[in-house]
Amino acid sequence: MNKEFLIQVHNRVKPFIHETPVLTSQLIDEMVGAHVYFKCENFQKMGAFKMRGATNAVLSLTEEERNKGVVTHSSGNFAQALSLAANKIGVNAYIVMPKNAPQVKKHAVKGYKGTIIESESTPMAREKMAEKVKQEKEAIFLHPSNDHNVIYGQGTAAIELLEKQPQLDYILTPVGGGGLIAGTALAAKYFSEKCKVIGGEPKNADDAFRSKKSGKIEYNESADTIADGLRTHLGDKNFPIIKADVERIILVEEEEIIEAMKLVWERMKIIIEPSSAVAFAALLKEKEQFKNKEVGIIISGGNVDVTNLPF
């Protein structure tokens, strides 16, 4: 792994993704006492950073593997990302989704020509069904966050941010399955002399915080958080990167997530999903640490159910 390798990844995915804008807000800078740069992956194709990792993973397959198709289990953004990426590259995508996944997400997957296979809603049932599809179709399984090619692809958002803002002291990202923060940590390591990576995580789903403390992957008994994209746990591919290259993880309360989300909607006039607000909530919570610093925040996505807003 080196800088040259990550540049190749970025060049590979560039034709299939948007280079998303970096936005600032004077009001937010004053509120935090720092210079804050928002990398807006809510403007990415299919509305989230996951398009990057899905695209890199599909493009990294051999022709023979592509002909077999790809399979994943996801009820959210990766389901849409893999469907769209596979469709653009001409590969069949089989998406295992829980029966109770929101209809709007199922419609999006179908719109991107993904084939939905329904399962019960437990993680075990989803994994079992994905394994069954993999065997039957001989398709290649791609994990939403615990796959090296997915991780490298997710890191391209931070590469773009550091190209525009090389002076950054910190980049904050949300932590769910760990793909985004691991990719971001690699990008910061190879594209900056000094930039540190910090995670924001809901207190109600604090498995990554506990994993970083104990040195082994921890799991959540329950994960009752509005940040529905962050209910998943870390994996054996991304955890070693997080352990080595992520500075720390800041926990935030549900009210703090809602407040941060509302602030961005009201002040910046952009739609972000609750999971995206977690990194900003972490900055607001611990602003003393970031005083007078240059801070990047990756807004991970904007796929929000507008009929179910918390404000």
Side-chain angles (χ1 to χ4, degrees), residues 185-224:
L186 290 174
K189 185 176 179 176
Y190 293 109
F191 287 81
S192 170
E193 298 288 309
K194 60 168 184 170
C195 184
K196 295 181 172 130
V197 173
I198 291 179
E201 188 175 41
K203 197 172 179 187
N204 289 3
D206 65 349
D207 56 295
F209 176 83
R210 288 183 286 114
S211 302
K212 190 114 172 78
K213 253 190 156 159
S214 71
K216 64 185 203 302
I217 296 173
E218 304 281 351
Y219 300 90
N220 292 316
E221 290 289 314
S222 67
D224 183 20

Side-chain angles (χ1 to χ4, degrees), residues 70 142 163 183 253 268:
V70 291
L142 296 176
E163 279 173 352
E253 305 282 352
M268 297 187 73

Side-chain angles (χ1 to χ4, degrees), residues 105-161:
K105 290 186 176 175
K106 290 181 183 174
H107 285 321
V109 169
K110 284 177 184 162
Y112 297 138
K113 308 288 187 288
T115 303
I116 296 174
I117 297 100
E118 293 197 333
S119 75
E120 294 304 322
S121 62
T122 66
M124 205 180 285
R126 281 160 55 161
E127 283 164 24
K128 211 170 159 185
M129 184 61 82
E131 184 57 37
K132 186 170 179 252
V133 175
K134 182 185 157 185
Q135 300 295 341
E136 284 174 6
K137 305 281 185 190
E138 294 187 350
I140 308 300
F141 177 72
L142 296 176
H143 193 280
S145 54
N146 196 42
D147 175 294
H148 281 125
N149 289 318
V150 171
I151 293 165
Y152 304 146
Q154 314 304 32
T156 61
I159 292 171
E160 289 173 9
L161 177 55

Side-chain angles (χ1 to χ4, degrees), residues 1-10 159 186 190-191:
M1 164 59 55
N2 56 29
K3 185 175 181 176
E4 200 45 53
F5 176 81
L6 290 176
I7 290 170
Q8 284 171 11
V9 169
H10 194 204
I159 292 171
L186 290 174
Y190 293 109
F191 287 81

